[in-house]
Amino acid sequence: MTITTRTIAAPVVPTRSALTPLGLDAVTITDGFWNERQRVNGTSTLPHIEHWLEREGWLGNFDRAAAGTLPEGRRGREFSDSEIYKYLEAVAWEIGRLGGDDALDTRFRAVVDRVAAAQEADGYLNTRFGRPGQGARWSDLEWGHELYCLGHLFQAAVARERTSPGADDGLLRIATRAADLICEVFGATGIQSVCGHAEVEVGLAELARVTGERRYLELASLFIERRGTGVLADIEWGRSYFQDDVPIREAVALRGHAVRANYLAAGAADVAVEHGDAGLLDALRSQWDRTIARRTYVTGGQGSHHQDEAFGEDFELPSDRAYSETCAGIASIMFSWRLLLEAPDVRYADHIERVLYNVLATSPSATGDTFFYANTLHQRTPGVSSPPDEVSPRASSSERAPWFDVACCPPNVARTMASLASLIATSSDAGVQLHQFASSTIRTTVLGGLPFVAEVETDYPRSGVVRVRIVEAPTDAVELSIRVPSWADDGRLVVRTADGVEVEDRAVEPGYAAVSRSFAVGDVVELAFGVRPRITQPDPRVDAIRGSVAIERGPEVYCVESLDLPGGDDTLSRVEIDEGVVPVEADGGRLTVALRARPVTDGSWPYAEAFASTEPGEAFTASIAPYHSWAQRGPSTMRIWIPTHHA
Amino acid sequence: MTITTRTIAAPVVPTRSALTPLGLDAVTITDGFWNERQRVNGTSTLPHIEHWLEREGWLGNFDRAAAGTLPEGRRGREFSDSEIYKYLEAVAWEIGRLGGDDALDTRFRAVVDRVAAAQEADGYLNTRFGRPGQGARWSDLEWGHELYCLGHLFQAAVARERTSPGADDGLLRIATRAADLICEVFGATGIQSVCGHAEVEVGLAELARVTGERRYLELASLFIERRGTGVLADIEWGRSYFQDDVPIREAVALRGHAVRANYLAAGAADVAVEHGDAGLLDALRSQWDRTIARRTYVTGGQGSHHQDEAFGEDFELPSDRAYSETCAGIASIMFSWRLLLEAPDVRYADHIERVLYNVLATSPSATGDTFFYANTLHQRTPGVSSPPDEVSPRASSSERAPWFDVACCPPNVARTMASLASLIATSSDAGVQLHQFASSTIRTTVLGGLPFVAEVETDYPRSGVVRVRIVEAPTDAVELSIRVPSWADDGRLVVRTADGVEVEDRAVEPGYAAVSRSFAVGDVVELAFGVRPRITQPDPRVDAIRGSVAIERGPEVYCVESLDLPGGDDTLSRVEIDEGVVPVEADGGRLTVALRARPVTDGSWPYAEAFASTEPGEAFTASIAPYHSWAQRGPSTMRIWIPTHHA
């Protein structure tokens, strides 16, 4: 049995969905915040990753597999194959983003050839298992990551097929041979278990969507339904670590390892959509709601625990040791986007934007060759710079590092950056929806196949003015919907004709502001809303940040960095803010804010009957910057949440 | 070369010290809080531990070693041998505490025989290394724990020799044969490295003190000085994990794994004392100061991180996920006691008391057969009861468990409970010092060998009245010093004769209150101080508990447990306290306190411009109990720090 396929150059293409994703063939980011990051990603990050995959020998593992010399000389962790696949996926999107690139295409094919040579006759593909001297195939489902690696292989093949259809490089065939094998091994009468790290589910679902092969989808469904019934071993951190504690339909929130939890939820959303399974979709929506309301940092980051890279309990979100893994942010975007395609609720797009600006943009340095693995909200001691040519053994490095022993984040950043245009807009029967703001060109069809072309122009997030200029549109009315973020003030939607005549001007509330109009070429729809700095308080149940506020402006969370303070680290450790202070806009996205340095006494014991000094500390003015830009000027200390002074 | 030995039945007996420890031969706890816990320890905990050591096969490993069948069938982690040694140490102290016990002695000897049979011809003793099919001896100093296990062996042999001198069971000989071997292997010209887990240092120092063999002490000194120079491998958590980041003389605070850090510091204190090394002792004192002032929970617990069981940075002490390992508390007592013996600073005894009441007393249940491994300060969700007959794979279990995969804590609790009398009092040339309060008998000599016998009577911690009745004393003046805790109010010292005549009555300040007197039989020295409930605030730099207070009374930290609240877990998640509330004494050490349940709104996102409700919540009265008694009535939630309501 087959399912319907749709040719769209995007990572997620349901056979049918409320909103149709617009892919890299339809949306191009042309300027601004994300264009610059995409440029760095293509010119710096991708070569950087290829260099390290080669240098660390993880690509070489495939050559050794092909030469039959494994396990001797195998390098890297059990999941290192997946980094090659994520790299391939990133390159596939990058080629799509650029509308083709011969040199990149040649590099892509060279890697695919090395992968192809390592695949076994029956389709099995993994450099860590199955040979004499290695663990048997599927013998360590808890930790072996074999299916996880294949999930990334499938996503890479999907990306390639959607951006370079008919490329004839063999990658899709590698993927389907492996998928056919696991359908046999793990199907209804096969091994009744799952992979410790969810990921194969999203890969299988999309491979089904690209090939039309329904059994890939049904295998994903089996994996989704099996998990939660204790099919994996109990471990120190409990089965919740791999979401094997509670069946997905019964869970109330995401829990356990934050990347696994989100990948699983994303895969479950794919299955639910294809099966028209409203019950499963409802369960996922309600888990998303609770996770956002109680288990997410103000940055959009998820996962409080270092030990198991896991969610904490509800409201357990200390800034100290906030883990907030880059990959968990990316995984959370994947889950949210799937829900958004089924229901245009502004909260999904708001959350995606929050993660994009405060997690995805935070991980890579401006030069794209060092990365945060974890994204803490409070750095108490100046980090130690990672040597530019050394692998960091530490996920929790307080400075960005060029590479990690566990290097999931850099290629995950790369594939997300390269495919970012696919998160900007969607279409529906009625028209086009704009979810994220970036100067871009949108070329699609509406009303059953009529061309619709628009140019988006904005300097967002510096301002909240977004202009959509119609380049081509049908004569019949088309509905253009533009997201008004939930934090936006004074939203106003203005429609002008090419010659500047205002035909509409109205206030709009957070949500999607829609204009339905028979657009003429040159018409401009302008959404404008305030991006004034906001002082944000936490829910009192988030105990660890009680009595503190964060400063936000538009989609960006700000932080105080010691390098911007008189007195540096010492001042940062004592910084406080008066209630009612209003930060002032400064150059380059910075804000100027009045702060104080609280007087402290160094005692011999930090708990006493009378401690809190009520004297206001010394006042000073500081320049603060968006969190994503921190730690790029050498070791420093930093905090997002600033204690308030009760005068 | 030899050093001087002193025959005192205590774990720490420096060849000379400002204060002479009084051992189990001199001090007997006769009634009250600790007597009950010692009784439970002897009758329940010790048989419980022996049962599990046998059941888990960790004792059987020695039999398999003797039979030459290892590595086949070896069970337990790499450090499981050490649990047998800690058990032996605990039993040795228990026999000493009881003044002999034939049945226990027989059990002790039976275990020693099994250990003896496993020792190799050259003195090597470890069931995990050195045989064909096992790792080579000393091949994994980072994680292998071979020297760590020997350290516990030495402490067991020392305990036995001091409580049953000349027992002729062979344990001391087993220890010295192993010590002789490592002197050769790790001496000045041997392997220039250390064990990943400090412990052998305290073991060697005490073995030197009991045997007079100086080279054991000098090997401890080599281990102390080598560490911190990068002799161990770098690991994910950094070399600070095993204190190999900075030489001990240059460190400014304890850091890394909290048990390792304290064991190392204790061993370094031993070496510093024996060498008269004032520089090293000063460094240790200053590290102790900073660790207490900035890296210790209000319970006295240490170690914020689950991942590496490690100290956090200064003031990084979130209640959420507070780790506060039981063994770290015990290790901190070990370090503090060594410093106290050299300088009678009340802060050392205050800290020891804080750990005793809020960590050591918290770990075991009232029945002594389940234990907390970690001692969190905030339990957000009701824990899952550990089955009474199953090993817990989780250190962070929110309910006490009978046994753990890593079972360091139960035998560590047992040896500390059994030897507790050794922390009560010391003597000096001038007289006797009373550091901890428990109904007890003290029999020692003063003024160069004259008998001094006193009975201490107190219902502490219920009241702060401690009466010391002189049973026997020299005619010359003897100084009796009694600790006045740093939090004590209205301290008053009264001296009465046998017929009730008050001969002295004066106010005393925190510190040591001394009475120098030619005591007559029946004289009573009575120290009385307030143990009124205190409302304690945190240093503002302990961010995660800002705006909260803890309730303490005497040495006990209190907690709010959901089972005592109307509305249970939900109320606990919203509990707050008005500033200025004064808890009232109730029965059984409980307090009655006026609290409120803050109104909260379940929103979709926990950060907003206006959140903090200033409305006072619903008022109610609750009964609260000491933290050490929590989690004994089934699953519950709990918090020590209570948010304050700013009316």
Side-chain angles (χ1 to χ4, degrees), chain A residues 156-338:
Chain A
V158 164
R160 180 63 165 172
E161 185 62 16
R162 288 189 180 145
T163 51
S164 305
D168 197 26
D169 52 29
L171 184 58
L172 186 62
R173 181 78 190 112
I174 296 171
T176 56
R177 285 177 63 208
D180 292 343
L181 174 71
I182 63 171
C183 282
E184 208 171 288
V185 174
F186 288 92
T189 58
I191 299 172
Q192 298 298 302
S193 192
V194 302
C195 184
H197 197 316
E199 158 64 24
V200 73
E201 298 80 0
V202 282
L204 281 166
E206 225 60 50
L207 193 63
R209 287 162 170 175
V210 95
T211 61
E213 286 285 357
R214 176 172 289 277
R215 66 214 163 90
Y216 300 157
L217 178 71
E218 297 316 317
L219 181 59
S221 176
L222 282 179
F223 283 140
I224 301 286
E225 303 292 347
R226 274 178 199 158
R227 194 181 299 262
T229 59
V231 292
L232 299 172
D234 193 10
I235 57 165
E236 182 181 351
W237 311 312
R239 287 201 177 89
S240 61
Y241 175 74
F242 17 60
Q243 297 75 48
D244 190 32
D245 52 338
V246 178
I248 196 157
R249 292 167 190 277
E250 295 165 29
V252 298
L254 299 196
R255 70 230 173 272
H257 189 279
V259 183
R260 293 168 202 239
N262 274 289
Y263 280 178
L264 176 68
D270 288 333
V271 168
V273 166
E274 296 304 333
H275 284 177
D277 186 338
L280 179 53
L281 213 47
D282 282 351
L284 293 168
R285 286 193 197 287
S286 120
Q287 290 165 37
W288 188 93
D289 287 350
R290 173 122 166 197
T291 305
I292 297 298
R294 300 180 172 214
R295 300 186 174 198
T296 302
Y297 288 103
V298 69
T299 54
Q302 295 182 344
S304 313
H305 299 180
H306 280 242
Q307 185 178 39
D308 45 356
E309 310 189 305
F311 284 100
E313 301 294 344
D314 287 352
F315 303 115
E316 181 198 319
L317 294 161
S319 289
D320 274 318
R321 302 272 289 169
Y323 195 65
S324 181
E325 183 182 339
T326 301
C327 288
I330 289 168
S332 172
I333 292 175
M334 288 167 56
F335 178 31
S336 305
W337 178 249
R338 282 159 174 80

Side-chain angles (χ1 to χ4, degrees), chain A residues 235-236 294 296 313 316 321 380-381 393-394 532 537 539 541 543 602 606-609 611-612 639, chain B residues 235-236 294 296 313 316 321 380-381 393-394 532 537 539 541 543 602 606-609 611-612 639:
Chain A
I235 57 165
E236 182 181 351
R294 300 180 172 214
T296 302
E313 301 294 344
E316 181 198 319
R321 302 272 289 169
R380 287 182 180 269
T381 55
R394 277 169 281 283
R532 66 171 172 82
Q537 297 177 353
D539 185 301
R541 289 169 292 183
D543 289 272
D602 280 323
Y607 313 100
E609 284 193 79
F611 228 118
R639 59 188 304 155
Chain B
I235 58 164
E236 182 181 351
R294 301 180 173 214
T296 302
E313 301 293 345
E316 180 197 319
R321 302 271 290 165
R380 288 182 180 269
T381 54
R394 278 168 281 283
R532 67 171 171 82
Q537 296 178 353
D539 185 302
R541 289 169 291 182
D543 290 271
D602 280 324
Y607 314 101
E609 284 193 78
F611 227 117
R639 58 187 306 153

Side-chain angles (χ1 to χ4, degrees), chain B residues 338-395:
Chain B
R338 282 159 173 80
L339 296 182
L340 176 62
L341 287 180
E342 275 306 294
D345 185 327
V346 72
R347 293 187 305 133
Y348 300 127
D350 281 350
H351 175 66
I352 289 171
E353 179 179 64
R354 188 174 286 276
V355 178
L356 288 176
Y357 279 95
N358 303 295
V359 180
L360 183 71
T362 305
S363 174
S365 61
T367 47
D369 52 0
T370 58
F371 307 85
F372 276 129
Y373 186 115
N375 300 277
T376 190
L377 278 70
H378 188 178
Q379 182 68 35
R380 288 182 180 269
T381 54
V384 176
S385 296
S386 291
D389 206 37
E390 268 182 34
V391 176
S392 170
R394 278 168 281 283

